[in-house]
Tab-separated table of all heavy atoms in Angstrom:
chain	number	residue	atom	x	y	z
T	1	LEU	N	11.515	-106.325	5.259
T	1	LEU	CA	11.767	-107.474	6.148
T	1	LEU	C	11.450	-108.767	5.510
T	1	LEU	O	10.295	-108.933	5.183
T	1	LEU	CB	11.085	-107.344	7.540
T	1	LEU	CG	11.419	-105.920	8.258
T	1	LEU	CD1	10.620	-105.947	9.544
T	1	LEU	CD2	12.846	-105.900	8.565
T	2	HIS	N	12.370	-109.644	5.534
T	2	HIS	CA	12.126	-111.051	4.820
T	2	HIS	C	11.363	-111.902	5.882
T	2	HIS	O	11.131	-111.591	7.014
T	2	HIS	CB	13.445	-111.532	4.395
T	2	HIS	CG	14.394	-111.834	5.633
T	2	HIS	ND1	14.254	-112.909	6.435
T	2	HIS	CD2	15.424	-111.137	6.022
T	2	HIS	CE1	15.165	-112.947	7.424
T	2	HIS	NE2	15.937	-111.777	7.215
T	3	GLY	N	11.046	-113.119	5.410
T	3	GLY	CA	10.349	-114.055	6.233
T	3	GLY	C	11.230	-115.102	6.830
T	3	GLY	O	12.436	-115.018	6.794
T	4	LEU	N	10.617	-116.039	7.627
T	4	LEU	CA	11.317	-117.059	8.307
T	4	LEU	C	12.243	-117.833	7.387
T	4	LEU	O	11.798	-118.289	6.267
T	4	LEU	CB	10.296	-117.891	9.051
T	4	LEU	CG	10.844	-119.093	9.821
T	4	LEU	CD1	11.686	-118.507	10.977
T	4	LEU	CD2	9.679	-119.950	10.388
T	5	ALA	N	13.442	-118.032	7.751
T	5	ALA	CA	14.468	-118.826	7.061
T	5	ALA	C	14.946	-118.125	5.812
T	5	ALA	O	15.841	-118.755	5.008
T	5	ALA	CB	13.977	-120.260	6.737
T	6	GLY	N	14.589	-116.989	5.496
T	6	GLY	CA	15.086	-116.168	4.380
T	6	GLY	C	16.251	-115.229	4.751
T	6	GLY	O	16.698	-115.323	5.919
T	7	ASP	N	16.518	-114.284	3.903
T	7	ASP	CA	17.457	-113.282	4.234
T	7	ASP	C	17.205	-112.061	3.348
T	7	ASP	O	16.255	-112.106	2.541
T	7	ASP	CB	18.897	-113.730	4.159
T	7	ASP	CG	19.409	-113.819	2.698
T	7	ASP	OD1	18.581	-114.028	1.705
T	7	ASP	OD2	20.624	-113.830	2.502
T	8	SER	N	17.939	-111.047	3.483
T	8	SER	CA	17.639	-109.784	2.863
T	8	SER	C	17.622	-109.908	1.309
T	8	SER	O	17.020	-109.072	0.689
T	8	SER	CB	18.639	-108.703	3.275
T	8	SER	OG	20.029	-109.129	2.965
T	9	THR	N	18.398	-110.890	0.768
T	9	THR	CA	18.522	-110.946	-0.710
T	9	THR	C	17.138	-111.351	-1.365
T	9	THR	O	17.084	-111.237	-2.595
T	9	THR	CB	19.580	-111.960	-1.110
T	9	THR	OG1	19.121	-113.350	-0.572
T	9	THR	CG2	20.916	-111.653	-0.444
T	10	VAL	N	16.186	-111.803	-0.596
T	10	VAL	CA	14.840	-111.994	-1.253
T	10	VAL	C	14.246	-110.829	-1.916
T	10	VAL	O	13.336	-111.022	-2.744
T	10	VAL	CB	13.897	-112.757	-0.306
T	10	VAL	CG1	14.425	-114.082	0.220
T	10	VAL	CG2	13.463	-111.839	0.859
T	11	TRP	N	14.743	-109.613	-1.528
T	11	TRP	CA	14.128	-108.447	-2.021
T	11	TRP	C	14.893	-107.848	-3.269
T	11	TRP	O	14.583	-106.837	-3.699
T	11	TRP	CB	14.143	-107.325	-0.930
T	11	TRP	CG	13.223	-107.670	0.285
T	11	TRP	CD1	13.578	-108.134	1.479
T	11	TRP	CD2	11.792	-107.612	0.302
T	11	TRP	NE1	12.561	-108.366	2.313
T	11	TRP	CE2	11.401	-108.047	1.633
T	11	TRP	CE3	10.803	-107.274	-0.654
T	11	TRP	CZ2	10.052	-108.122	2.018
T	11	TRP	CZ3	9.460	-107.385	-0.220
T	11	TRP	CH2	9.097	-107.770	1.055
T	12	ASP	N	15.936	-108.635	-3.685
T	12	ASP	CA	16.817	-108.044	-4.730
T	12	ASP	C	16.050	-107.688	-6.067
T	12	ASP	O	16.480	-106.751	-6.650
T	12	ASP	CB	17.975	-109.047	-5.031
T	12	ASP	CG	19.047	-109.161	-3.991
T	12	ASP	OD1	19.001	-108.287	-3.023
T	12	ASP	OD2	19.830	-109.975	-3.988
T	13	GLY	N	15.021	-108.385	-6.265
T	13	GLY	CA	14.285	-108.176	-7.554
T	13	GLY	C	13.358	-106.996	-7.520
T	13	GLY	O	12.754	-106.569	-8.509
T	14	LEU	N	13.055	-106.399	-6.350
T	14	LEU	CA	12.048	-105.410	-6.216
T	14	LEU	C	12.388	-104.067	-6.812
T	14	LEU	O	11.582	-103.389	-7.413
T	14	LEU	CB	11.716	-105.177	-4.697
T	14	LEU	CG	10.714	-104.146	-4.405
T	14	LEU	CD1	9.349	-104.591	-4.983
T	14	LEU	CD2	10.553	-103.962	-2.882
T	15	ASP	N	13.669	-103.718	-6.850
T	15	ASP	CA	14.133	-102.435	-7.324
T	15	ASP	C	13.395	-101.243	-6.672
T	15	ASP	O	12.601	-100.635	-7.317
T	15	ASP	CB	13.988	-102.339	-8.864
T	15	ASP	CG	14.469	-101.087	-9.547
T	15	ASP	OD1	15.313	-100.391	-8.887
T	15	ASP	OD2	14.094	-100.757	-10.694
T	16	PRO	N	13.664	-101.002	-5.422
T	16	PRO	CA	12.869	-99.942	-4.687
T	16	PRO	C	12.889	-98.593	-5.325
T	16	PRO	O	11.911	-97.875	-5.177
T	16	PRO	CB	13.549	-100.007	-3.357
T	16	PRO	CG	14.220	-101.286	-3.200
T	16	PRO	CD	14.643	-101.659	-4.591
T	17	GLY	N	13.950	-98.349	-6.104
T	17	GLY	CA	14.053	-96.973	-6.715
T	17	GLY	C	12.919	-96.789	-7.770
T	17	GLY	O	12.589	-95.605	-7.971
T	18	SER	N	12.294	-97.838	-8.164
T	18	SER	CA	11.223	-97.676	-9.241
T	18	SER	C	9.929	-97.356	-8.565
T	18	SER	O	8.980	-97.078	-9.334
T	18	SER	CB	11.175	-98.905	-10.044
T	18	SER	OG	10.672	-100.096	-9.228
T	19	CYS	N	9.811	-97.541	-7.170
T	19	CYS	CA	8.503	-97.378	-6.539
T	19	CYS	C	8.596	-96.645	-5.248
T	19	CYS	O	7.548	-96.502	-4.604
T	19	CYS	CB	7.879	-98.791	-6.388
T	19	CYS	SG	8.970	-99.994	-5.597
T	20	TRP	N	9.750	-96.232	-4.864
T	20	TRP	CA	9.959	-95.558	-3.606
T	20	TRP	C	10.728	-94.320	-3.690
T	20	TRP	O	11.936	-94.484	-4.148
T	20	TRP	CB	10.442	-96.456	-2.490
T	20	TRP	CG	10.577	-95.869	-1.102
T	20	TRP	CD1	11.629	-95.346	-0.588
T	20	TRP	CD2	9.543	-95.675	-0.293
T	20	TRP	NE1	11.343	-94.845	0.668
T	20	TRP	CE2	10.000	-94.986	0.885
T	20	TRP	CE3	8.128	-95.945	-0.223
T	20	TRP	CZ2	9.256	-94.772	2.073
T	20	TRP	CZ3	7.341	-95.569	0.768
T	20	TRP	CH2	7.878	-94.949	1.909
T	21	ASP	N	10.320	-93.148	-3.294
T	21	ASP	CA	11.073	-91.888	-3.402
T	21	ASP	C	11.802	-91.623	-2.107
T	21	ASP	O	11.473	-90.735	-1.348
T	21	ASP	CB	10.168	-90.774	-3.726
T	21	ASP	CG	10.805	-89.464	-3.938
T	21	ASP	OD1	11.988	-89.463	-4.227
T	21	ASP	OD2	10.188	-88.350	-3.848
T	22	GLY	N	12.879	-92.395	-1.792
T	22	GLY	CA	13.590	-92.233	-0.618
T	22	GLY	C	14.512	-93.369	-0.347
T	22	GLY	O	14.594	-94.279	-1.150
T	23	PRO	N	15.207	-93.339	0.821
T	23	PRO	CA	16.129	-94.429	1.092
T	23	PRO	C	15.442	-95.758	1.355
T	23	PRO	O	14.234	-95.718	1.784
T	23	PRO	CB	16.850	-93.897	2.368
T	23	PRO	CG	15.791	-93.012	3.007
T	23	PRO	CD	15.071	-92.283	1.901
T	24	CYS	N	16.163	-96.807	1.312
T	24	CYS	CA	15.615	-98.178	1.547
T	24	CYS	C	16.646	-99.014	2.212
T	24	CYS	O	17.810	-98.967	1.721
T	24	CYS	CB	15.094	-98.789	0.250
T	24	CYS	SG	14.540	-100.453	0.324
T	25	VAL	N	16.240	-99.787	3.200
T	25	VAL	CA	17.244	-100.780	3.787
T	25	VAL	C	16.508	-102.122	3.883
T	25	VAL	O	15.248	-102.166	4.005
T	25	VAL	CB	17.634	-100.336	5.224
T	25	VAL	CG1	18.447	-98.978	5.083
T	25	VAL	CG2	16.489	-100.106	6.143
T	26	ALA	N	17.276	-103.152	3.750
T	26	ALA	CA	16.707	-104.528	3.888
T	26	ALA	C	17.567	-105.328	4.910
T	26	ALA	O	18.573	-106.079	4.441
T	26	ALA	CB	16.619	-105.147	2.589
C-alpha cells in the first residue's frame, strides 16, 4: 500500500519475487 498522494507504481523497484514466496498485489 502506497502513501498519501502516491500510487501503486511507487513499489515498482521492489521486485517482490526476490523477497516473497507467493503472490503480490499493489
Side-chain angles (χ1 to χ4, degrees):
L1 302 179
H2 63 81
L4 181 61
D7 75 337
S8 60
T9 63
V10 299
W11 298 104
D12 285 353
L14 182 61
D15 184 19
S18 67
C19 50
W20 183 258
D21 182 21
C24 176
V25 296

